[in-house]
Amino acid sequence: MSRSLLADRLIRAILALLLCGASAASTATIIVAGAVNDSSTGTPIAGADVIIRSGATDLASVVSDAEGVFQLPFNVAVRPEAQNLALLVRKDSFVSSSSLIVVTNGKANPNSLRILLVPQAVSDCIRTGSRSVVVGYFRPPASSTVDPDIAARVAEALDFDLTFRLQQQNALKLATRPQIIACGGAKPRAVADYAGFARTLKADAFLVGSVNDMALTKVKVEMSVIDGYGILPAPLRASSREVNLDDPSLARLDASAHAAILTAVAGGYEHSRKFAECVDVTSAAARILGTVGTLPPDLQTVRSRCEQKLPNRGLTSGGAQ
Amino acid sequence: MMTHSWRQLAAAALLCTAAFACFAEVRLNVDEELQRAEQLRAREQERRSKLRVNIDSEADLGLIEKGLRPEQRIPNARFRVAVFSYEDPDGTGAGGAFASLVGRRVLLESNVGSIGVLRYEGSLAPKPEQPLSYFEKVERLTDAQQVTMAIWGMVRVRESDVLVDTFVQLPTNVVQDEFSWKLRLPKAMGGDTLLARLRPARILVQRQVLPRESLERVRAAATALDTLRAKPEEGASVVATLPIGTVYWFSGRNDDWVEISTDTYKGWVRSDGGCAATCAQLFDAAQFGAGLLQFMQSRRVPKVPDGLQPETRAVADQLAVLEQLDTAQPGRFQNTVLRPLEQLTQAPAGSAAGAAFANIRAMAKLTTSLQAEASKSGGSLESVYNDIKLPPPRVREIAFELANDSLADPRNTDILSNLAVMFRYAQDVERANLADRLAREATQ
């Protein structure tokens, strides 16, 4: 072996040792902790796969426990510049979730997360960018041997009914009118779950209920209505008699149902800071319900708040200048 | 002096036409012929002045679906009113009957020079092949025919009663042409124009409650309206039944019977179809609609019979005040315009017309101020008008009052545009720009 070749090998060995030492010295073990829950009911989800990923490489994984809780340790090089990692959470019959974890100087931000998984059964019902009324599960009569998709029929009835009434009042432009969406898979197990479903579905109003004897041409439809913003202190109950669900285009729901839904829709406009539309829809509601001058209390509360926030206030003498 | 019957002349004309060349002479008295021509013209005008045609709405909708425009019905009538079978979700079978009764009444009571009623028959309920809502179909047909007014409604069953809603709708262009008022500011104030348009343009005229058993009488009355009899008597032989698509007109009257003619036959019907008691209230709704047509012709404010919905009163009040705005003498302005407006602007939240009154009041206050300034100069209003300059703080004060009252109707473009004009004159640029922006957003 020539002298120069020996020297070259020696230099390489020293360099390799130096590199290994540097790597060992700058690696940190990080633990990201959290809990996985059903977004609509808040129920803990056990057995969810939680994976931390850098680009296409999985760094580590863990499974959530019976309480939905997980602790995920993983090693990552300590660097001053930010490294973007993805925390993936997967579970059958839920939509997978991905959260950004930023690691800088060996510290993760965030290092504690609450992951809310959306049930696959309702994920198609979520609309963004427009006002929406989502009709969830409606329980068929006990005597019924089949489970017809009553939600679709109630939604169709409501679409014809409520849209017609808003049109009668010339209220709201077509593009800003609420969409009515059937979502029979949105099946809360308890009243306490209603609001969670409304939030998960990004719905202004979320309806669930029951129908009596399906053998009859005209049925009684019982429904509970909750909004997605906490405006209604508790679900509003409404009962509509003699509803023809066989021909939803002709079905008409009771005024109490309209009042509850329109209150939630007005709240949706308020939530999206469309205060003029909010005032308009309360005016239309007053005329639809025949209560001009004496709005139902919840509706009046929403209207008053929206009036206070109208950009038109800037035109008044007390308006901000 | 020779006289000729019209029949002889018609025969001669026919002969001439048939022979392609006519060599005939007839001596005529000029005065008599002029008189006869005038009678004929008047009769023809009368004959053609009140026309009605029954139309199959599905056929017209089918054409619209294909991108075709349906034939313009009764195109030469000055006022053309579309009347649609009322929506009938509970299947009472009376939706068409209510429309027939209202449509016929409008035709009879309008007292306008030239009217055509387009009575759309058939259900407008959504169907799988035509999923549009009732209202969307009404809008399409109304737009396609470019009518002056549309009348439509809904029949609902409520236990032992039926609830009958009747609506009148004025198209945007009609509101613009016939139901809007403008105040042009003097040139010294910039010469901009303030605008007030009637609101609402879609008016719930009546909400009538009838016992369920009266539906049979309503249906029978509607049938009677289309059943022509040989004489103006109950029990007289039936000549014909008016078919769909036939234009007819009134050719005579005998107490409460009217003679109806078509191009091929004529006969008598009772003007109310024999449903006076049950239909009396319904006819009030028709009378209001007819009153709006009369207003277009003569600026006479429609009467509002008791029992109609508050929106009709709001409409009539606006028309009354706006007419006064046009015609009241300066000295009478306070009593005839401003005082009534003070009450009218107190409309409760949710009212369809509350802010509209506030808009009119602002225009009225400006008018009063302009009149006062003119009287100070000693000249007539017309001669000094363009030189008048109101104090900007006064205009700003009026604008503030309007801005405050308009919060109940935040997307009223008339109000927002007027506020922009007023604030601009008052040199409040920031508020003027805000009003402009909000007006633009409201129309998008």
Side-chain angles (χ1 to χ4, degrees):
Chain A
M1 186 179 291
S2 71
R3 229 181 136 125
S4 63
L5 187 61
L6 187 67
D8 185 53
R9 285 190 176 173
L10 188 63
I11 289 166
R12 282 172 187 266
I14 291 166
L15 275 173
L17 277 171
L18 281 171
L19 281 171
C20 282
S23 173
S26 61
T27 297
T29 300
I30 297 173
I31 298 175
V32 171
V36 186
N37 295 78
D38 182 323
S39 67
S40 51
T41 62
T43 312
I45 299 175
D49 294 323
V50 183
I51 303 153
I52 189 80
R53 182 175 282 182
S54 174
T57 309
D58 290 353
L59 301 181
S61 66
V62 72
V63 174
S64 61
D65 66 14
E67 299 301 315
V69 173
F70 65 87
Q71 284 202 332
L72 177 58
F74 60 95
N75 294 327
V76 66
V78 178
R79 291 182 196 154
E81 68 273 21
Q83 302 172 70
N84 291 340
L85 308 181
L87 185 79
L88 303 179
V89 182
R90 293 193 299 227
K91 173 73 180 169
D92 285 350
S93 74
F94 286 90
V95 178
S96 297
S97 133
S98 174
S99 309
L100 176 68
I101 306 285
V102 180
V103 177
T104 314
N105 290 325
K107 290 191 175 166
N109 182 28
N111 61 5
S112 174
L113 300 91
R114 184 172 181 228
I115 307 291
L116 297 172
L117 292 186
V118 176
Q120 248 157 6
V122 304
S123 62
D124 287 344
C125 312
I126 298 171
R127 300 286 187 279
T128 52
S130 65
R131 308 270 56 85
S132 65
V133 175
V134 177
V135 182
Y137 180 72
F138 271 69
R139 182 167 44 79
S143 59
S144 177
T145 52
V146 292
D147 190 359
D149 189 2
I150 304 172
R153 294 205 243 171
V154 172
E156 203 178 340
L158 199 60
D159 199 10
F160 284 117
D161 188 18
L162 199 65
T163 305
F164 179 80
R165 285 169 198 280
L166 288 170
Q167 284 176 328
Q168 270 185 338
Q169 298 303 326
N170 222 356
L172 305 173
K173 293 187 173 142
L174 196 59
T176 59
R177 282 183 198 141
Q179 291 184 56
I180 316 280
I181 299 151
C183 192
K187 192 174 179 181
R189 287 173 303 179
V191 175
D193 295 343
Y194 292 180
F197 267 92
R199 283 193 297 273
T200 296
L201 293 161
K202 301 190 191 310
D204 296 327
F206 175 60
L207 282 57
V208 284
S210 62
V211 168
N212 73 351
D213 196 347
M214 292 296 290
L216 299 173
T217 309
K218 293 193 174 182
V219 298
K220 184 176 174 186
V221 178
E222 301 273 6
M223 65 171 71
S224 296
V225 182
I226 192 74
D227 69 288
Y229 316 105
I231 298 165
L232 301 173
L236 292 176
R237 290 186 62 78
S239 178
S240 307
R241 288 178 298 165
E242 296 201 341
V243 180
N244 184 355
L245 286 181
D246 282 341
D247 191 348
S249 66
L250 299 182
R252 292 291 177 267
L253 300 173
D254 193 75
S256 58
H258 290 141
I261 294 165
L262 289 169
T263 301
V265 169
Y269 286 114
E270 181 193 10
H271 187 73
S272 57
R273 305 188 63 76
K274 293 195 175 299
F275 303 116
E277 283 84 350
C278 167
V279 171
D280 278 355
V281 87
T282 60
S283 294
R287 297 194 293 274
I288 288 169
L289 302 169
T291 57
V292 171
T294 51
L295 283 171
D298 291 324
L299 199 53
Q300 181 59 54
T301 304
V302 178
R303 182 188 172 95
S304 300
R305 281 203 305 264
C306 290
E307 277 188 342
Q308 287 302 319
K309 295 171 193 161
L310 279 172
N312 305 52
R313 288 229 165 249
L315 299 170
T316 63
S317 56
Q321 279 295 283
Chain B
M1 184 171 72
M2 277 187 78
T3 59
H4 301 269
S5 76
W6 288 104
R7 196 164 297 178
Q8 284 173 307
L9 290 172
L14 188 66
L15 186 67
C16 289
T17 310
F20 294 103
C22 180
F23 300 94
E25 183 181 65
V26 61
R27 286 183 295 165
L28 302 166
N29 177 288
V30 170
D31 290 338
E32 278 187 16
E33 288 309 304
L34 280 172
Q35 191 180 350
R36 189 169 285 137
E38 178 56 28
Q39 283 172 355
L40 182 65
R41 192 193 63 75
R43 211 178 308 154
E44 185 62 16
Q45 194 173 14
E46 170 67 18
R47 185 177 95 94
R48 294 288 178 187
S49 68
K50 290 189 174 182
L51 299 167
R52 193 180 111 154
V53 61
N54 293 354
I55 303 168
D56 180 348
S57 34
E58 280 199 27
D60 273 15
L61 277 169
L63 288 172
I64 296 169
E65 284 286 311
K66 291 175 190 162
L68 302 171
R69 184 178 277 275
E71 171 199 354
Q72 200 80 350
R73 320 286 177 157
I74 319 179
N76 297 323
R78 179 182 168 197
F79 300 105
R80 299 169 65 250
V81 181
V83 183
F84 296 92
S85 291
Y86 286 21
E87 200 198 16
D88 185 17
D90 296 319
T92 66
F98 283 107
S100 285
L101 289 163
V102 169
R104 180 65 61 82
R105 203 65 177 185
V106 168
L107 195 61
L108 278 167
E109 301 297 328
S110 60
N111 288 323
V112 290
S114 165
I115 178 172
V117 170
L118 284 56
R119 167 71 183 92
Y120 282 91
E121 306 224 336
S123 169
L124 291 173
K127 293 174 184 164
E129 66 276 18
Q130 282 178 338
L132 295 175
S133 72
Y134 171 86
F135 185 78
E136 285 165 327
K137 290 180 179 179
V138 166
E139 288 237 304
R140 285 202 181 183
L141 291 168
T142 303
D143 288 348
Q145 284 293 332
Q146 298 177 312
V147 295
T148 319
M149 177 194 287
I151 298 177
W152 46 280
M154 180 155 65
V155 188
R156 293 300 318 271
V157 173
R158 286 273 182 274
E159 295 174 351
S160 60
D161 293 326
V162 284
L163 194 66
V164 185
D165 284 352
T166 300
F167 285 81
V168 161
Q169 181 167 351
L170 298 164
T172 308
N173 64 313
V174 172
V175 171
Q176 186 69 39
D177 295 343
E178 305 281 355
F179 295 97
S180 66
W181 283 259
K182 290 176 181 168
L183 171 64
R184 188 183 60 77
L185 294 178
K187 283 185 180 165
M189 291 178 68
D192 285 327
T193 300
L194 304 181
L195 176 68
R197 281 178 294 195
L198 183 74
R199 281 175 83 99
R202 189 172 295 164
I203 308 158
L204 173 58
V205 176
Q206 187 178 57
R207 179 158 282 174
Q208 187 185 11
V209 181
L210 293 172
R212 210 163 172 170
E213 57 268 21
S214 66
L215 286 179
E216 193 49 51
R217 282 202 296 281
V218 169
R219 281 192 291 264
T223 304
L225 287 182
D226 286 347
T227 307
L228 308 187
R229 296 184 180 277
K231 295 178 191 171
E233 294 169 6
E234 296 290 357
S237 60
V238 173
V239 176
T241 301
L242 284 173
I244 280 188
T246 304
V247 176
Y248 68 82
W249 57 92
F250 297 133
S251 48
R253 189 154 197 165
N254 187 335
D255 290 334
D256 59 346
W257 288 79
V258 288
E259 187 185 48
I260 282 178
S261 294
T262 72
D263 283 328
T264 50
Y265 46 77
K266 63 168 65 174
W268 293 86
V269 299
R270 276 186 61 160
S271 60
D272 60 8
C275 169
T278 313
C279 301
Q281 283 184 319
L282 190 67
F283 292 154
D284 287 345
Q287 192 187 333
F288 181 79
L292 289 175
L293 297 176
Q294 286 163 19
F295 180 85
M296 288 184 232
Q297 178 167 281
S298 64
R299 316 310 283 180
R300 202 167 67 226
V301 176
K303 287 183 182 151
V304 179
D306 290 342
L308 295 193
Q309 287 293 298
E311 287 180 26
T312 57
R313 169 54 59 199
V315 164
D317 285 343
Q318 282 176 76
L319 297 181
V321 171
L322 286 163
E323 278 307 288
Q324 288 293 330
L325 200 60
D326 275 351
T327 57
Q329 294 302 309
R332 290 174 46 79
F333 223 72
Q334 186 67 30
N335 284 337
T336 57
V337 181
L338 287 175
R339 195 161 294 162
L341 276 169
E342 289 305 329
Q343 288 181 334
L344 294 168
T345 46
Q346 303 304 316
S351 154
F357 287 114
N359 192 30
I360 299 167
R361 181 176 62 181
M363 288 170 68
K365 285 190 173 180
L366 284 172
T367 307
T368 313
S369 300
L370 290 166
Q371 287 170 343
E373 285 294 314
S375 67
K376 278 188 208 165
S377 70
S380 70
L381 184 64
E382 290 77 18
S383 63
V384 299
Y385 188 76
N386 277 327
D387 300 323
I388 299 173
K389 243 184 140 184
L390 294 178
R394 171 66 183 140
V395 175
R396 196 161 183 257
E397 182 190 331
I398 294 170
F400 277 149
E401 186 180 45
L402 176 57
N404 217 38
D405 288 333
S406 68
L407 293 175
D409 191 2
R411 294 193 302 163
N412 185 319
T413 50
D414 291 353
I415 291 178
L416 292 168
S417 302
N418 290 350
L419 285 172
V421 168
M422 286 191 270
F423 281 126
R424 195 166 295 119
Y425 174 70
Q427 295 176 340
D428 189 337
V429 178
E430 201 167 335
R431 285 189 173 88
N433 289 344
L434 174 60
D436 270 334
R437 178 170 68 79
L438 294 175
R440 274 198 307 277
E441 286 174 4
T443 50
Q444 279 167 4

